Amino acid sequence: MAHKKGVGSSKNGRESAAQRLGIKIFGGQQCLAGNIIVRQRGTKHNPGSNVAIGKDDTLYALVDGTVNFHKGKFNKSVVSVIPAAEA
C-alpha cells in the first residue's frame, strides 16, 4: 500500500525549456544589421568590428554584410561583420 499522497501536479513542473544557444549565422553567410550571430553564456566568442554584445552576451550585427570568425588577441575567437560594400 502506498504511503504517499497522490499529488502529481504540485510535484511536477520543473522541466525548463531549452535556451537555444549557439551560432545562428555561420562564417561566410550574409547577415542584416540587427541579426543575432551568436547566442552564448559568457564570452566564448568576442565582438569584433561591426558587431556588438548584448547584456546576455549575445553577439549581433551592426551593419549588413558577411560574417567572419577569426582568432584575435590571446588566440580568442572574434566575430566580425565585413560590410556589403567591401565584401
Side-chain angles (χ1 to χ4, degrees):
M1 186 165 171
H3 286 69
K4 287 265 188 186
K5 236 176 166 184
V7 288
S9 62
S10 66
K11 300 267 185 179
N12 298 335
R14 282 182 297 278
E15 188 68 33
S16 60
Q19 294 182 315
R20 277 88 175 176
L21 301 177
I23 298 172
K24 306 301 177 188
I25 302 175
F26 291 90
Q29 290 186 312
Q30 298 297 312
C31 71
L32 300 173
N35 279 168
I36 292 173
I37 301 169
V38 181
R39 297 243 305 125
Q40 60 187 354
R41 292 291 164 263
T43 52
K44 183 181 172 95
H45 305 282
N46 292 279
S49 59
N50 301 314
V51 174
I53 188 165
K55 68 174 189 172
D56 63 347
D57 297 316
T58 295
L59 300 183
Y60 59 94
L62 295 175
V63 296
D64 298 355
T66 307
V67 176
N68 179 28
F69 285 81
H70 54 95
K71 294 289 185 179
K73 208 171 186 179
F74 306 114
N75 209 32
K76 288 183 174 272
S77 175
V78 177
V79 184
S80 298
V81 173
I82 301 162
E86 294 178 29

